[in-house]
Amino acid sequence: MTLAQPLGGRAAEDDGNDPERGRPRRAALRGRLPLPRSPLVRYLAVRLLLVLPTVLLLLTAVFFLMRATGDPITTAFADRLTPAQLQEKLHAAGYDRPLLTQYFDYLRQTATGDFGRTATDNRAVSEVLRTYGAATLELACWALLVAVAVGVPLGALAARFRDRAPDAVLRLAAVLAYATPVFFVGLLLKLVLAVGLGWLPVSGRASIDVELRLQDLSDPTGLYLLDAVRSGDGPAVADVLRHAVLPALALGLLLAGVLLRLVRTHLISTLEAEYVEAARSRGVGGLRLVTRHAARPALIPVVTVLGLQVAGLLGGAVLTETTFEWKGLGYELAHYLTARDFAAVQGIVALFAVVVAVVNFLVDALAALIDPRVRY
């Protein structure tokens, strides 16, 4: 203390221990230098700012690609209307205006939540999103549950038996899982488990009588499992779960193959790290070594890939919902694409773009919280 006093006395006085002398100095420093900010906050702010250009880019691509295929009115009525009647319908829908005018009007309406009305069935696009969005959300949640429940434990098992028979079998299964088209897996599951063995329903989200009961509920959410639980209807809960098995397996196994190989690779790499070797040298082994020392760093890439695979899940949902007649946004998107319904397709894709961008932001935030090294 006696040695530090001559060195620190003047510094303490300058740093503001004396209220009269320290306050002006701190004010001057605050005026010249920016206040330090948290690296985590700065990283998350940058990621959040990237959401808007990502959504804008996707909306722009969809807008111009859809216009390159022609307009839905000419496609639907070219053989049934005179040129004058056809031109009148085009004018009423606004498709005869300059393309850039349509584009900026579309962006303005999208920013206010007004996606227009569908050309094929004259429904508000926002109503379509509300009606069918819950079904796609439910399917995506089931698929993620299957992917994590299958891919993460099997990936850890493959890492545990590295370069042995179980590892080889699991790696081959992972390749088959993510290389096989989701519609083929869906058809195969239907033929074996539904048509052949009769264990599970062939298609739909629930039986007709169950759907009618759930739709008659006051303030239904559209999530059949949640609505069935709220109603206290045990048979309805069982029916909803039975209908969800095949679509969830078809879509979830696609992502499970990716997760299996990813968990295996990063867990093997983590188990060979120096700090894990140091823990092993102190007598830590078995399950505790994996869960306490290796699992958390190895799961960071898994969390990131889960966010990136949300776009794949939504894309796979189109084929899965069509295969199993699961009445969600993917099922409706396939229908509206065939009809070239610009407003409906743009509205559904806009929702998909926002979901993907927001989920990727949340995944980046979660990865930064798990590993402080993740920063810009």
Side-chain angles (χ1 to χ4, degrees), residues 266-315:
H266 288 279
L267 192 55
I268 289 174
S269 175
T270 304
L271 287 172
E272 295 176 347
E274 292 183 358
Y275 63 91
V276 176
E277 292 292 339
R280 187 181 288 115
S281 67
R282 295 196 303 269
V284 180
L287 183 62
R288 188 183 176 204
L289 180 69
V290 174
T291 57
R292 295 290 299 274
H293 297 275
R296 183 173 174 179
L299 287 179
I300 295 173
V302 177
V303 172
T304 304
V305 168
L306 276 177
L308 296 175
Q309 290 298 319
V310 169
L313 280 177
L314 294 177

Side-chain angles (χ1 to χ4, degrees), residues 111-131:
T112 60
D114 179 14
F115 299 103
R117 304 187 70 85
T118 62
T120 52
D121 47 13
N122 195 31
R123 300 173 62 189
V125 177
S126 56
E127 178 189 347
V128 174
L129 299 180
R130 286 193 303 268
T131 303

Side-chain angles (χ1 to χ4, degrees), residues 69-283:
T69 64
D71 64 87
I73 293 179
T74 303
T75 302
F77 302 105
D79 299 332
R80 291 182 284 173
L81 298 178
T82 64
Q85 293 173 326
L86 187 63
Q87 186 61 35
E88 182 180 351
K89 281 189 170 292
L90 288 172
H91 180 73
Y95 292 134
D96 60 342
R97 295 178 301 165
L99 193 58
L100 287 179
T101 302
Q102 296 182 47
Y103 171 68
F104 288 116
D105 285 346
Y106 164 65
L107 290 182
R108 186 180 65 254
Q109 293 172 354
T110 301
T112 60
D114 179 14
F115 299 103
R117 304 187 70 85
T118 62
T120 52
D121 47 13
N122 195 31
R123 300 173 62 189
V125 177
S126 56
E127 178 189 347
V128 174
L129 299 180
R130 286 193 303 268
T131 303
Y132 298 102
T136 300
L137 174 62
E138 194 169 40
L139 177 59
C141 291
W142 287 123
L144 278 174
L145 180 63
V146 170
V148 173
V150 173
V152 174
L154 292 184
L157 185 64
R160 172 67 179 81
F161 295 99
R162 177 186 180 185
D163 295 333
R164 285 185 265 178
D167 181 27
V169 172
L170 290 173
R171 279 188 291 169
L172 178 61
V175 172
L176 291 176
Y178 69 74
T180 306
V182 64
F183 69 88
F184 179 78
V185 175
L187 292 174
L188 190 61
L189 290 173
K190 287 175 68 171
L191 287 174
V192 176
L193 298 178
V195 178
L197 298 175
W199 291 351
L200 296 167
V202 176
S203 62
R205 297 181 63 198
S207 302
I208 296 178
D209 59 330
V210 173
E211 285 193 345
L212 293 176
R213 295 205 302 270
L214 295 178
Q215 291 171 3
D216 288 339
L217 294 175
S218 60
D219 193 22
T221 64
L223 301 171
Y224 277 7
L225 181 61
L226 180 59
D227 289 339
V229 171
R230 287 172 55 203
S231 67
D233 191 342
V237 173
D239 184 76
V240 170
L241 290 174
R242 291 180 69 246
H243 279 80
V245 171
L246 292 183
L249 283 175
L251 187 56
L253 289 177
L254 174 69
L255 179 56
V258 178
L259 291 182
L260 193 157
R261 292 184 62 88
L262 192 69
V263 170
R264 175 192 176 274
T265 301
H266 288 279
L267 192 55
I268 289 174
S269 175
T270 304
L271 287 172
E272 295 176 347
E274 292 183 358
Y275 63 91
V276 176
E277 292 292 339
R280 187 181 288 115
S281 67
R282 295 196 303 269

Side-chain angles (χ1 to χ4, degrees), residues 40 43-44 300 303 360-371:
L40 177 61
Y43 170 77
L44 295 180
I300 295 173
V303 172
N360 280 325
F361 167 74
L362 295 176
V363 167
D364 289 336
L366 182 59
L369 292 174
I370 293 175
D371 186 358

